[in-house]
Amino acid sequence: MPDTAISPTVTMQLIEAIRAVVGERGLLTDPSDTAAASEDWRRLYKGRTSAVVRPANTEEVAAVVRLCAAAGVPIVTQGGNTSMVGGAVPAEDGSELVLSTARLNRVRDLDPVDMTMTIEAGVTLKAAQLAAAEHGCLLPLSISSEGTAQIGGVLAVNAGGNNTVRYGNARDLVLGLEAVLPDGTIWHGLRRLRKDNTGYCLRQLFVGSEGTLGIITAAVLKLVPQPKEVAVAFCAVETAAAALDLFARFQAHDVASISAFELMSGLGTSFVLQHIPNATLPLDRPAPFYVLVELATPRPNAGLRGSLEEVLEGALAAGVVIDAAVAESDAQRAAIWRLREEHSEAQKREGASVKNDVSVPVSKVPAFIEEATAACAALMPGIRAVPFGHMGDGNIHFNLEQPLDADPVWFLAQDHAIVEKVNEVVRKYDGSFSAEHGIGKLKPYMMPDWRGGAELALMRRIKDAIDPRGLMNPGKVLP
Ligand code: 2HG
Ligand code: ZN
């Protein structure tokens, strides 16, 4: 085979060497496959790659990384490709290969006494949850894209999601890690110890590094007992301040039972009702805001439903809640959750949107929403604010939908100005400009402003020490 160059760096010789490692099934070069892997879920970026490499085990990952390192070819690791910040797209010039974790899809071990699961990077979050449930355990991490998102990506971006209010973010669940380093070395760190105080905590360096330090191939995750009772209510409130009041009531009643406390706007919910088949509002009339509250307990006969109703009755009597529906069955519970989880898809169908994945202290959420809404309306008449998200942990998706008559391309070009307006308010409340989606390709330009000085300098030194040639997911995280 002649050593023809497919791109400035990728040669046929390299592709054939990789094929020899991963076999026919492990290499996709069909343009439809490479095109699908080169675009992000939001369709913000269209890159190009000559191959999607799909190793079947950690040794194959390591062998592929060694070959790429020798050729100086950068690798973009991709799981479910559900990033909201273009975290897994290759560059436009075709110089990078995509390495898919999809075939690393085994649950290696699940121990209901240790309450841990050892799981490979390509298992979807949903499949991991189901595997835990089969053993009477709960993997307490839930995100809207869990049917597609894979464990490796979930950990690489330190996903947050719906249960952070109770169980923390992805990094809080990681006890051990296996990863392939940029030179192809396999780091075997799959310990399942609750206590292991032995120097720098390397696993936490890789969690949240977004594929820029190496490739996570497997992890040991903490599990918790499966809930025996779950109660879900969908509540209508006039304002985000009333939603906060309701949260405080649930906290005062039994903080330990809250497993999710999610906020939705009336407008965002109307998009779901309009664009998502079979979505229905479980209340008589629409409201400015809604809250989804979920309580869960591993204790049997805990009377959770009674607890939920007691708090709601108090809130209704005080005028904090206008109306509420309590799920009577698993099907109703799922229908209520769909109203929340389909928010992103419905916004995509409604038109172009600019996303702000921000966090502020929980107590500041109402003021933040009010002030950011006003600031955006002043910037662009007709802009439609769609705040929603994880109110219980202070993470609000303050998304802006294009004005009804605006050109989507023009609207998206106003991205930086809109984001800056929102972030002025985030700054005022000492919040974060990226609460759970990470930095990816979308936000590195913001890093000097928000994490400049010692923090960014230290991050660069870590990157240079571990990936001195910059071959792991270039152009992501660091400017
Ligand atoms: C969610 O909470 C996801 O549903 C997506 O984080 C948020 O679309 C978004 O902005
Ligand atoms: Zn979210």
Side-chain angles (χ1 to χ4, degrees):
M1 181 101 20
D3 189 9
T4 26
I6 294 172
S7 81
T9 48
V10 181
T11 60
M12 272 315 287
Q13 197 179 46
L14 174 65
I15 296 291
E16 291 313 318
I18 290 174
R19 197 194 305 276
V21 170
V22 297
E24 282 306 324
R25 280 187 64 203
L27 192 69
L28 306 178
T29 50
D30 194 89
S32 64
D33 294 319
T34 54
S38 300
E39 190 169 21
D40 63 314
W41 183 84
R42 294 180 63 190
R43 300 199 193 104
L44 293 179
Y45 301 101
K46 227 190 192 110
R48 198 161 63 78
T49 189
S50 40
V52 179
V53 186
R54 295 156 38 97
N57 54 53
T58 305
E59 288 69 30
E60 286 188 9
V61 175
V64 170
V65 170
R66 278 195 296 272
L67 286 170
C68 289
V73 170
I75 294 178
V76 178
T77 307
Q78 201 173 87
N81 197 14
T82 56
S83 173
M84 292 284 174
V85 289
V89 282
E92 291 80 7
D93 65 2
S95 61
E96 301 165 3
L97 288 182
V98 171
L99 186 144
S100 159
T101 49
R103 289 174 74 212
L104 305 171
N105 59 3
R106 291 178 312 142
V107 177
R108 292 190 194 167
D109 180 72
L110 201 151
D111 192 318
V113 175
D114 288 341
M115 287 265 173
T116 57
M117 78 194 301
T118 306
I119 189 163
E120 294 184 350
V123 179
T124 65
L125 178 53
K126 185 82 204 168
Q129 292 165 350
L130 293 173
E134 269 175 32
H135 290 77
C137 298
L138 174 76
L139 172 58
L141 185 73
S142 170
I143 58 178
S144 301
S145 56
E146 64 200 18
T148 311
Q150 297 173 9
I151 292 295
V154 161
L155 297 182
V157 308
N158 181 31
N162 306 330
N163 301 140
T164 302
V165 60
R166 175 129 156 212
Y167 300 104
N169 298 301
R171 73 165 72 257
D172 298 302
L173 304 175
V174 181
L175 293 177
L177 213 64
E178 177 190 272
V180 172
L181 307 183
D183 64 358
T185 306
I186 302 175
W187 166 40
H188 297 282
L190 285 178
R191 288 179 288 270
R192 56 163 112 162
L193 306 172
R194 304 281 165 161
K195 285 188 170 175
D196 175 24
N197 203 0
T198 51
Y200 301 139
C201 188
L202 297 177
R203 66 179 186 279
Q204 294 298 2
L205 198 55
F206 283 80
V207 176
S209 66
E210 304 188 32
T212 62
L213 299 180
I215 301 173
I216 294 173
T217 50
V220 181
L221 302 180
K222 276 191 237 176
L223 305 174
V224 299
Q226 208 171 24
K228 298 225 169 40
E229 279 186 36
V230 180
V232 169
F234 187 80
C235 317
V237 292
E238 285 290 354
T239 58
L244 181 65
D245 185 321
L246 184 62
F247 183 58
R249 285 166 186 264
F250 277 106
Q251 277 191 309
H253 186 85
D254 179 10
V255 68
S257 72
I258 304 172
S259 58
F261 194 92
E262 298 280 312
L263 182 75
M264 285 155 274
S265 71
L267 183 62
T269 307
S270 77
F271 294 161
V272 177
L273 297 170
Q274 192 183 336
H275 297 297
I276 304 297
N278 304 322
T280 50
L281 191 71
L283 305 172
D284 289 338
R285 61 187 64 84
F289 287 96
Y290 305 101
V291 167
L292 184 165
V293 57
E294 182 182 88
L295 307 182
T297 174
R299 285 182 297 135
N301 309 315
L304 214 53
R305 168 77 188 245
S307 275
L308 184 69
E309 286 174 351
E310 191 184 321
V311 176
L312 287 178
E313 275 161 23
L316 279 158
V320 169
V321 165
I322 315 166
D323 194 6
V326 177
E328 301 284 352
S329 63
D330 287 353
Q332 285 185 9
R333 219 164 67 201
I336 289 175
W337 264 112
R338 263 188 98 217
L339 288 176
R340 164 63 187 85
E341 297 207 308
E342 293 289 357
H343 260 62
S344 303
E345 183 61 37
Q347 279 167 47
K348 197 174 173 182
R349 294 186 192 182
E350 175 68 18
S353 62
V354 171
K355 288 186 190 295
N356 294 276
D357 164 40
V358 306
S359 60
V360 294
V362 179
S363 60
K364 306 296 181 202
V365 166
F368 162 74
I369 290 178
E370 195 177 310
E371 291 170 36
T373 303
C376 291
L379 179 75
M380 187 186 292
I383 197 168
R384 295 173 292 165
V386 190
F388 70 102
H390 319 292
M391 178 152 191
D393 62 49
N395 172 200
I396 295 299
H397 301 300
F398 194 83
N399 295 351
L400 284 313
E401 198 78 24
Q402 62 171 88
L404 274 171
D405 50 1
D407 169 33
V409 176
W410 170 83
F411 178 70
L412 288 179
Q414 315 305 308
D415 178 3
H416 286 201
I418 297 170
V419 167
E420 191 42 42
K421 271 286 163 228
V422 173
N423 280 337
E424 279 170 18
V425 189
V426 175
R427 268 203 188 84
K428 174 175 167 191
Y429 292 113
D430 279 332
S432 170
F433 70 104
S434 190
E436 63 170 5
H437 296 165
I439 303 299
K441 201 173 165 99
L442 185 64
K443 300 186 176 177
Y445 80 94
M446 296 159 80
M447 290 291 272
D449 242 19
W450 289 80
R451 296 288 177 265
E455 270 180 289
L456 191 52
L458 200 48
M459 287 189 212
R460 280 193 205 282
R461 283 161 67 186
I462 290 169
K463 169 77 175 170
D464 289 345
I466 298 177
D467 180 23
R469 295 163 68 204
L471 295 179
M472 292 283 129
N473 211 9
K476 317 296 176 2
V477 182
L478 300 177

